[in-house]
Amino acid sequence: MNKYQVLKNVFGYEIFRSGQEEIIDKIISGSDVLGIMPTGAGKSLCFQIPALILPGITIVVSPLISLMKDQVHSLIQNGVKAAFLNSSLSSGQYKKALSNLEKGLYKIIYVAPERLETESFLNVSSKINISMVVVDESHCVSQWGHDFRPSYLKISSFVNTLEKRPIVTAFTATATQNVQMDIKKLLGLRNPYCVTTGFERKNLYFDVIETKTKDKIGETIKLLSDIKNESVIIYCGTRKKVEQLCDILNKKGYSTSRYHAGLSAVERRRNQEDFIYDHKKVFVATNAFGMGIDKPDIRMIIHFNMPKNIESYYQEAGRAGRDGEPAKCIMLYSDSDISLNRFFIDNTNNDDLDIDQLKDIKAQDYKNLDKMIEYCKGNACYQKYMLDYFGEHIDSCGNCGNCLAEFDEIDFTSEAKKIFACILETEQQYGIKMICDILKGSKNNERIFQMGYDNILSYGSMKNFSLISLKNHIKELVNKKYIFLYGTKYPILKLYDIAHDIVCGKSKESVIIKKRKSKGVFFSSNKINIYEQPLYDLLVKLRTQIAKEQKVPAYIIFSDKTIKQICKKLPVELQDLLQISGFGKNKLEKYGDLIIKTVNEYFMGL
Ligand code: ADP
């Protein structure tokens, strides 16, 4: 089979997504590859398709048991001979899997990195034909990354034990320049073909709801009542909040489970499974929950508290909508989230670091926190803001709370004049912090008193503004080109001529700023309509029943997207199912008749 046939016949998809085809071509032609693609982009297919085309066996090194299980179950559903080797197997099961591997019964084998060093595995590896070694979540090899796994460092020596060097490929969703260099070096990639696809997530709707702390529970319930019976994760800043919110939601009738590092390993595993297997639809968790969550049908991620930086937020929110269907990422923001994060930063301790290193890290953490606050308070496209932060420049997404909202235009001239005047009075030689402190009339900034700025007109002239809103207003004036930042390390604020003219009365131009008036309304084009709903419900029931029989999560059988397409295309014959995305030949044989029967039952009931 060629790559298109594998895509259609095995996985049931019509077209490749961005980056997939070029990666597959390179691998088949024998090249090492480093693929950096966002969550949900379809990394797995990039190595699974070549694995089925190359003559020998492919070994996939993966860091987590849950990830391996999911991927292997999905492959088996698609009729691919695959298995995993990790500590969840009994010694009998392990031996059996190893002997099957030796007999050539598998095309793809998933392995925990620790297994690569074992004698039994090395022994079998030396006897089989290994075409490719894939390193999934390859950022784990780097100490710069957030999930460093020392056993990943052994992968390259394993590859070196093999008589014939296989193709080596590495995939990850997160890799800064440092991490990328580490991946290439530490995995011994040879002249790898590197692909980085864009990180924009077109199916995700981002929004921030600014709310008082005491109203957050009410807002959460409103959000949940909008999307009944769908999987939702709610991230909270503390374990205590997880406990509280989980109790409240259960009392309100939402089937909710919880996850944080204070629970026993047994409870964490059980709760996680309840969520993955759809026994519980709402999952309240701290940021301890996430890595290895492959559940593709999470329709909403709510952040009950603002996370500490944009990286964490994009990664956590990015767990929504891996299946490409519309999903929401909502942050409930209140100013008290800032104090919570400051408390965490101030109380960071690390015995491995000396005082100066710790000070540097805290200073960086404060800068990152500022960016996160700016995101929450900003009026511009949310997704664009985050991608700019990662160094990728896109147009406004057109689909987030800010892009879809209406704004009031407010005359800000008199306030802007005060800001301009303060910059002038202090001779255009200070940065944003000092200017804000003077405008607020700060008593804690010694430099103000040393310089006598407590006696100037601007001192305290905007004391009724919060520090955050002052900073945001100044940033808006920068964006609107009244003020510019001079210098890179400690940028100072300087006025453009027009601001100068306005404050001196030479210009009568009004300074207009935007204030969000309406809610940006989320629009999901793929929603099931009321006529399709009864069939949708029947198919979901059928899927639950099959998943239960086979002891796998429902999404492994078929995705929500596949069910929606069946409702829209109403297949009446087996062959019609081949037009539905996600239906390869194997699934057609296994479930085709049952689905057609269900569609017919639905027609008869009309
Ligand atoms: P990643 O590992 O990059 O987060 P996955 O490999 O889990 O993403 O893929 C996310 C989802 O997209 C899966 O449900 C997968 O089957 C689906 N998918 C991947 N490639 C395609 C494609 N070409 N067409 C349609 N769906 C695809």
Side-chain angles (χ1 to χ4, degrees), residues 153-169:
L153 294 170
K154 303 277 165 67
I155 297 174
S156 91
S157 39
F158 164 73
V159 171
N160 291 337
T161 64
L162 302 172
E163 206 168 296
K164 187 174 136 268
R165 184 185 184 273
I167 300 161
V168 182
T169 59

PDB file of all heavy atoms in Angstrom, residues 153-169:
ATOM      1  N   LEU A 153      17.902   9.451  28.034  1.00  0.00           N
ATOM      2  CA  LEU A 153      19.300   9.629  27.627  1.00  0.00           C
ATOM      3  C   LEU A 153      19.926   8.327  27.129  1.00  0.00           C
ATOM      4  O   LEU A 153      20.966   8.336  26.474  1.00  0.00           O
ATOM      5  CB  LEU A 153      20.128  10.182  28.797  1.00  0.00           C
ATOM      6  CG  LEU A 153      19.753  11.594  29.252  1.00  0.00           C
ATOM      7  CD1 LEU A 153      20.432  11.969  30.550  1.00  0.00           C
ATOM      8  CD2 LEU A 153      20.120  12.600  28.161  1.00  0.00           C
ATOM      9  N   LYS A 154      19.265   7.207  27.444  1.00  0.00           N
ATOM     10  CA  LYS A 154      19.825   5.903  27.053  1.00  0.00           C
ATOM     11  C   LYS A 154      19.403   5.485  25.638  1.00  0.00           C
ATOM     12  O   LYS A 154      19.863   4.486  25.119  1.00  0.00           O
ATOM     13  CB  LYS A 154      19.351   4.812  28.035  1.00  0.00           C
ATOM     14  CG  LYS A 154      19.691   5.091  29.484  1.00  0.00           C
ATOM     15  CD  LYS A 154      21.124   4.650  29.750  1.00  0.00           C
ATOM     16  CE  LYS A 154      21.713   5.188  31.034  1.00  0.00           C
ATOM     17  NZ  LYS A 154      21.141   4.716  32.250  1.00  0.00           N
ATOM     18  N   ILE A 155      18.495   6.250  25.052  1.00  0.00           N
ATOM     19  CA  ILE A 155      17.941   5.813  23.759  1.00  0.00           C
ATOM     20  C   ILE A 155      19.033   5.722  22.697  1.00  0.00           C
ATOM     21  O   ILE A 155      19.102   4.741  21.947  1.00  0.00           O
ATOM     22  CB  ILE A 155      16.809   6.768  23.293  1.00  0.00           C
ATOM     23  CG1 ILE A 155      15.667   6.710  24.304  1.00  0.00           C
ATOM     24  CG2 ILE A 155      16.313   6.386  21.899  1.00  0.00           C
ATOM     25  CD1 ILE A 155      14.541   7.706  24.061  1.00  0.00           C
ATOM     26  N   SER A 156      19.918   6.715  22.675  1.00  0.00           N
ATOM     27  CA  SER A 156      20.896   6.700  21.579  1.00  0.00           C
ATOM     28  C   SER A 156      21.874   5.534  21.755  1.00  0.00           C
ATOM     29  O   SER A 156      22.297   4.925  20.760  1.00  0.00           O
ATOM     30  CB  SER A 156      21.591   8.043  21.444  1.00  0.00           C
ATOM     31  OG  SER A 156      22.734   8.090  22.191  1.00  0.00           O
ATOM     32  N   SER A 157      22.217   5.170  23.019  1.00  0.00           N
ATOM     33  CA  SER A 157      23.114   4.010  23.134  1.00  0.00           C
ATOM     34  C   SER A 157      22.382   2.729  22.727  1.00  0.00           C
ATOM     35  O   SER A 157      22.988   1.796  22.187  1.00  0.00           O
ATOM     36  CB  SER A 157      23.742   3.877  24.527  1.00  0.00           C
ATOM     37  OG  SER A 157      22.839   4.205  25.501  1.00  0.00           O
ATOM     38  N   PHE A 158      21.061   2.681  22.953  1.00  0.00           N
ATOM     39  CA  PHE A 158      20.314   1.508  22.475  1.00  0.00           C
ATOM     40  C   PHE A 158      20.413   1.421  20.948  1.00  0.00           C
ATOM     41  O   PHE A 158      20.704   0.354  20.397  1.00  0.00           O
ATOM     42  CB  PHE A 158      18.841   1.596  22.908  1.00  0.00           C
ATOM     43  CG  PHE A 158      17.951   0.656  22.155  1.00  0.00           C
ATOM     44  CD1 PHE A 158      17.987  -0.711  22.417  1.00  0.00           C
ATOM     45  CD2 PHE A 158      17.125   1.114  21.131  1.00  0.00           C
ATOM     46  CE1 PHE A 158      17.200  -1.602  21.686  1.00  0.00           C
ATOM     47  CE2 PHE A 158      16.339   0.238  20.398  1.00  0.00           C
ATOM     48  CZ  PHE A 158      16.375  -1.127  20.685  1.00  0.00           C
ATOM     49  N   VAL A 159      20.191   2.566  20.294  1.00  0.00           N
ATOM     50  CA  VAL A 159      20.254   2.567  18.815  1.00  0.00           C
ATOM     51  C   VAL A 159      21.641   2.080  18.366  1.00  0.00           C
ATOM     52  O   VAL A 159      21.768   1.307  17.404  1.00  0.00           O
ATOM     53  CB  VAL A 159      19.934   3.974  18.259  1.00  0.00           C
ATOM     54  CG1 VAL A 159      20.217   4.061  16.766  1.00  0.00           C
ATOM     55  CG2 VAL A 159      18.481   4.336  18.536  1.00  0.00           C
ATOM     56  N   ASN A 160      22.668   2.502  19.106  1.00  0.00           N
ATOM     57  CA  ASN A 160      24.032   2.102  18.723  1.00  0.00           C
ATOM     58  C   ASN A 160      24.300   0.611  18.899  1.00  0.00           C
ATOM     59  O   ASN A 160      25.221   0.073  18.299  1.00  0.00           O
ATOM     60  CB  ASN A 160      25.060   2.910  19.519  1.00  0.00           C
ATOM     61  CG  ASN A 160      25.043   4.367  19.083  1.00  0.00           C
ATOM     62  OD1 ASN A 160      24.624   4.673  17.964  1.00  0.00           O
ATOM     63  ND2 ASN A 160      25.448   5.257  19.973  1.00  0.00           N
ATOM     64  N   THR A 161      23.505  -0.058  19.739  1.00  0.00           N
ATOM     65  CA  THR A 161      23.724  -1.512  19.900  1.00  0.00           C
ATOM     66  C   THR A 161      23.231  -2.289  18.675  1.00  0.00           C
ATOM     67  O   THR A 161      23.582  -3.447  18.501  1.00  0.00           O
ATOM     68  CB  THR A 161      22.957  -2.084  21.124  1.00  0.00           C
ATOM     69  OG1 THR A 161      21.548  -1.934  20.879  1.00  0.00           O
ATOM     70  CG2 THR A 161      23.348  -1.426  22.426  1.00  0.00           C
ATOM     71  N   LEU A 162      22.400  -1.636  17.857  1.00  0.00           N
ATOM     72  CA  LEU A 162      21.812  -2.382  16.729  1.00  0.00           C
ATOM     73  C   LEU A 162      22.818  -2.490  15.580  1.00  0.00           C
ATOM     74  O   LEU A 162      23.547  -1.538  15.287  1.00  0.00           O
ATOM     75  CB  LEU A 162      20.542  -1.676  16.244  1.00  0.00           C
ATOM     76  CG  LEU A 162      19.458  -1.515  17.329  1.00  0.00           C
ATOM     77  CD1 LEU A 162      18.319  -0.635  16.816  1.00  0.00           C
ATOM     78  CD2 LEU A 162      18.916  -2.872  17.765  1.00  0.00           C
ATOM     79  N   GLU A 163      22.830  -3.663  14.979  1.00  0.00           N
ATOM     80  CA  GLU A 163      23.815  -3.905  13.929  1.00  0.00           C
ATOM     81  C   GLU A 163      23.625  -2.945  12.755  1.00  0.00           C
ATOM     82  O   GLU A 163      24.550  -2.329  12.266  1.00  0.00           O
ATOM     83  CB  GLU A 163      23.648  -5.339  13.440  1.00  0.00           C
ATOM     84  CG  GLU A 163      24.906  -5.920  12.866  1.00  0.00           C
ATOM     85  CD  GLU A 163      24.716  -7.402  12.685  1.00  0.00           C
ATOM     86  OE1 GLU A 163      24.535  -8.115  13.694  1.00  0.00           O
ATOM     87  OE2 GLU A 163      24.705  -7.815  11.517  1.00  0.00           O
ATOM     88  N   LYS A 164      22.348  -2.794  12.347  1.00  0.00           N
ATOM     89  CA  LYS A 164      22.056  -1.864  11.253  1.00  0.00           C
ATOM     90  C   LYS A 164      21.316  -0.665  11.848  1.00  0.00           C
ATOM     91  O   LYS A 164      20.293  -0.843  12.513  1.00  0.00           O
ATOM     92  CB  LYS A 164      21.152  -2.586  10.236  1.00  0.00           C
ATOM     93  CG  LYS A 164      20.895  -1.814   8.980  1.00  0.00           C
ATOM     94  CD  LYS A 164      20.125  -2.686   7.987  1.00  0.00           C
ATOM     95  CE  LYS A 164      19.011  -1.927   7.340  1.00  0.00           C
ATOM     96  NZ  LYS A 164      17.707  -1.969   7.941  1.00  0.00           N
ATOM     97  N   ARG A 165      21.865   0.539  11.634  1.00  0.00           N
ATOM     98  CA  ARG A 165      21.200   1.695  12.254  1.00  0.00           C
ATOM     99  C   ARG A 165      19.845   1.948  11.604  1.00  0.00           C
ATOM    100  O   ARG A 165      19.751   2.143  10.383  1.00  0.00           O
ATOM    101  CB  ARG A 165      22.057   2.959  12.127  1.00  0.00           C
ATOM    102  CG  ARG A 165      21.431   4.154  12.862  1.00  0.00           C
ATOM    103  CD  ARG A 165      22.238   5.421  12.617  1.00  0.00           C
ATOM    104  NE  ARG A 165      21.712   6.544  13.391  1.00  0.00           N
ATOM    105  CZ  ARG A 165      20.740   7.346  12.978  1.00  0.00           C
ATOM    106  NH1 ARG A 165      20.171   7.151  11.808  1.00  0.00           N
ATOM    107  NH2 ARG A 165      20.334   8.356  13.746  1.00  0.00           N
ATOM    108  N   PRO A 166      18.775   1.961  12.425  1.00  0.00           N
ATOM    109  CA  PRO A 166      17.464   2.253  11.836  1.00  0.00           C
ATOM    110  C   PRO A 166      17.300   3.764  11.613  1.00  0.00           C
ATOM    111  O   PRO A 166      18.137   4.546  12.062  1.00  0.00           O
ATOM    112  CB  PRO A 166      16.492   1.778  12.920  1.00  0.00           C
ATOM    113  CG  PRO A 166      17.263   1.853  14.192  1.00  0.00           C
ATOM    114  CD  PRO A 166      18.711   1.713  13.862  1.00  0.00           C
ATOM    115  N   ILE A 167      16.222   4.136  10.962  1.00  0.00           N
ATOM    116  CA  ILE A 167      15.869   5.561  10.874  1.00  0.00           C
ATOM    117  C   ILE A 167      15.464   5.977  12.293  1.00  0.00           C
ATOM    118  O   ILE A 167      14.792   5.216  12.992  1.00  0.00           O
ATOM    119  CB  ILE A 167      14.655   5.739   9.932  1.00  0.00           C
ATOM    120  CG1 ILE A 167      14.986   5.226   8.533  1.00  0.00           C
ATOM    121  CG2 ILE A 167      14.168   7.174   9.902  1.00  0.00           C
ATOM    122  CD1 ILE A 167      13.752   4.930   7.685  1.00  0.00           C
ATOM    123  N   VAL A 168      15.893   7.171  12.703  1.00  0.00           N
ATOM    124  CA  VAL A 168      15.492   7.637  14.037  1.00  0.00           C
ATOM    125  C   VAL A 168      14.674   8.915  13.874  1.00  0.00           C
ATOM    126  O   VAL A 168      15.106   9.860  13.200  1.00  0.00           O
ATOM    127  CB  VAL A 168      16.725   7.904  14.942  1.00  0.00           C
ATOM    128  CG1 VAL A 168      16.270   8.334  16.339  1.00  0.00           C
ATOM    129  CG2 VAL A 168      17.603   6.657  15.035  1.00  0.00           C
ATOM    130  N   THR A 169      13.490   8.909  14.460  1.00  0.00           N
ATOM    131  CA  THR A 169      12.642  10.104  14.345  1.00  0.00           C
ATOM    132  C   THR A 169      12.205  10.552  15.739  1.00  0.00           C
ATOM    133  O   THR A 169      12.096   9.733  16.645  1.00  0.00           O
ATOM    134  CB  THR A 169      11.379   9.832  13.496  1.00  0.00           C
ATOM    135  OG1 THR A 169      10.643   8.778  14.105  1.00  0.00           O
ATOM    136  CG2 THR A 169      11.721   9.445  12.085  1.00  0.00           C
TER     137      THR A 169
END
